[in-house]
Amino acid sequence: MNWPEHMFVGALFGIIIALLLQTPAVDSAILVAFASVSALAPDIDHDSSKIRRISNITVPIAAFGFSFASTCTESVMCTLEDLRSVIILGLAITGLYMIVLTFFKPRHRGITHTIFAALIFAAFIYIFSDLNFAFAGFAGYTSHLLADKHIKLA
Ligand SMILES: [Zn+2]
């Protein structure tokens, strides 16, 4: 399956989750969109996948955004010393992402295409968001495995 089909199946799973959770319309729309994007996550192990192209751009931006937000909260203005730490931390996170994908890249349809990975994914979403998003993320991620007809526990 290619990425638009995965997003479509993920959205269907998101609709089921939204119906089960009985969330208000706007929240439901966000959950469906989130499940739809989550359905792309397992193909992070694939060099030319859509999700890789997305994350190659968003990971560095998010890394620097996170460094900036966590370093410069004390004062409104960043000091020069703060900026130095922001750049070092941002580069470190970006570098780690690149090293993992370059040297520890899982083989295609390996560990990322398992229920175990879906649970880890949902746990991360729960830490950074809430239980509704964790459910939507799990449903979207699992929809990819079902669509691939590649269901393994671990
Ligand atoms: Zn796949």
Side-chain angles (χ1 to χ4, degrees):
M1 263 200 183
N2 51 26
W3 66 268
E5 290 169 317
H6 273 305
M7 288 193 85
F8 179 73
V9 180
L12 290 181
F13 273 60
I15 290 169
I16 295 170
I17 290 296
L19 288 174
L20 288 175
L21 294 172
Q22 296 187 304
T23 43
V26 178
D27 295 13
S28 298
I30 297 170
L31 286 180
V32 171
F34 186 70
S36 183
V37 174
S38 299
L40 296 179
D43 279 345
I44 191 88
D45 62 2
H46 199 288
D47 277 333
S48 57
S49 66
K50 188 78 179 171
I51 191 73
R52 268 294 282 282
R53 270 175 281 155
I54 294 171
S55 60
N56 282 346
I57 297 166
T58 50
V59 166
I61 293 172
F64 280 94
F66 168 76
S67 318
F68 191 82
S70 61
T71 311
C72 303
T73 41
E74 295 294 318
S75 52
V76 183
M77 283 290 291
C78 267
T79 62
L80 218 56
E81 193 60 28
D82 284 343
L83 277 180
R84 226 171 60 125
S85 340
V86 168
I87 290 169
I88 290 169
L89 188 60
L91 284 177
I93 297 171
T94 307
L96 188 68
Y97 165 76
M98 284 156 88
I99 287 168
V100 166
L101 282 186
T102 306
F103 296 103
F104 300 98
K105 188 160 65 87
R107 69 193 159 76
H108 190 46
R109 295 191 177 170
I111 183 75
T112 63
H113 284 61
T114 61
I115 302 291
F116 177 70
L119 286 170
I120 299 286
F121 179 77
F124 265 102
I125 303 300
Y126 179 63
I127 291 166
F128 289 106
S129 176
D130 62 25
L131 201 56
N132 284 3
F133 274 98
F135 278 131
F138 182 78
Y141 199 108
T142 311
S143 82
H144 182 113
L145 309 184
L146 288 168
D148 273 0
K149 295 193 183 66
H150 196 279
I151 325 278
K152 280 197 310 179
L153 274 181

Short mmCIF file of all heavy atoms in Angstrom, two decimals, residues 64 67 82-92:
data_model
loop_
_atom_site.label_atom_id
_atom_site.label_comp_id
_atom_site.label_asym_id
_atom_site.label_seq_id
_atom_site.Cartn_x
_atom_site.Cartn_y
_atom_site.Cartn_z
N PHE A 64 15.16 22.11 17.52
CA PHE A 64 15.57 23.47 17.86
C PHE A 64 14.48 24.20 18.64
O PHE A 64 14.76 24.98 19.55
CB PHE A 64 16.00 24.24 16.61
CG PHE A 64 17.39 23.92 16.17
CD1 PHE A 64 17.63 22.94 15.21
CD2 PHE A 64 18.49 24.55 16.75
CE1 PHE A 64 18.92 22.60 14.81
CE2 PHE A 64 19.78 24.22 16.37
CZ PHE A 64 20.00 23.25 15.40
N SER A 67 14.71 22.90 22.18
CA SER A 67 15.90 23.45 22.84
C SER A 67 15.67 24.90 23.23
O SER A 67 15.99 25.32 24.33
CB SER A 67 17.12 23.40 21.92
OG SER A 67 17.17 22.18 21.23
N ASP A 82 22.81 31.44 26.32
CA ASP A 82 21.64 30.60 26.10
C ASP A 82 21.60 30.10 24.67
O ASP A 82 21.38 28.91 24.41
CB ASP A 82 20.34 31.39 26.37
CG ASP A 82 20.08 31.56 27.85
OD1 ASP A 82 20.70 30.82 28.64
OD2 ASP A 82 19.28 32.43 28.21
N LEU A 83 21.81 31.02 23.73
CA LEU A 83 21.73 30.67 22.31
C LEU A 83 22.74 29.58 21.97
O LEU A 83 22.47 28.71 21.15
CB LEU A 83 21.97 31.91 21.44
CG LEU A 83 20.74 32.79 21.20
CD1 LEU A 83 21.10 33.98 20.34
CD2 LEU A 83 19.60 31.99 20.56
N ARG A 84 23.90 29.66 22.61
CA ARG A 84 24.93 28.66 22.37
C ARG A 84 24.43 27.27 22.78
O ARG A 84 24.58 26.31 22.03
CB ARG A 84 26.21 29.01 23.14
CG ARG A 84 27.47 28.88 22.30
CD ARG A 84 28.64 29.46 23.06
NE ARG A 84 28.84 28.74 24.32
CZ ARG A 84 29.98 28.18 24.69
NH1 ARG A 84 31.04 28.25 23.91
NH2 ARG A 84 30.10 27.58 25.85
N SER A 85 23.79 27.18 23.95
CA SER A 85 23.26 25.89 24.40
C SER A 85 22.12 25.43 23.50
O SER A 85 21.97 24.23 23.24
CB SER A 85 22.75 25.96 25.84
OG SER A 85 23.28 27.03 26.52
N VAL A 86 21.31 26.39 23.03
CA VAL A 86 20.20 26.03 22.14
C VAL A 86 20.74 25.36 20.88
O VAL A 86 20.24 24.31 20.45
CB VAL A 86 19.37 27.28 21.75
CG1 VAL A 86 18.41 26.95 20.60
CG2 VAL A 86 18.59 27.79 22.95
N ILE A 87 21.79 25.96 20.30
CA ILE A 87 22.36 25.42 19.06
C ILE A 87 22.97 24.04 19.32
O ILE A 87 22.76 23.10 18.56
CB ILE A 87 23.40 26.40 18.47
CG1 ILE A 87 22.67 27.65 17.94
CG2 ILE A 87 24.20 25.74 17.35
CD1 ILE A 87 23.58 28.79 17.56
N ILE A 88 23.70 23.91 20.43
CA ILE A 88 24.36 22.63 20.74
C ILE A 88 23.31 21.53 20.95
O ILE A 88 23.40 20.45 20.37
CB ILE A 88 25.27 22.77 21.99
CG1 ILE A 88 26.48 23.64 21.64
CG2 ILE A 88 25.72 21.40 22.48
CD1 ILE A 88 27.31 24.06 22.83
N LEU A 89 22.27 21.84 21.76
CA LEU A 89 21.23 20.84 22.04
C LEU A 89 20.45 20.49 20.77
O LEU A 89 20.19 19.32 20.49
CB LEU A 89 20.28 21.38 23.12
CG LEU A 89 19.24 20.40 23.68
CD1 LEU A 89 19.90 19.19 24.33
CD2 LEU A 89 18.34 21.10 24.71
N GLY A 90 20.11 21.50 19.97
CA GLY A 90 19.38 21.27 18.72
C GLY A 90 20.17 20.39 17.77
O GLY A 90 19.63 19.44 17.18
N LEU A 91 21.46 20.68 17.64
CA LEU A 91 22.32 19.87 16.76
C LEU A 91 22.47 18.45 17.30
O LEU A 91 22.50 17.49 16.54
CB LEU A 91 23.70 20.52 16.61
CG LEU A 91 23.78 21.74 15.69
CD1 LEU A 91 25.20 22.31 15.71
CD2 LEU A 91 23.37 21.39 14.26
N ALA A 92 22.56 18.33 18.63
CA ALA A 92 22.73 17.02 19.25
C ALA A 92 21.52 16.13 18.96
O ALA A 92 21.67 14.96 18.58
CB ALA A 92 22.95 17.16 20.75
#
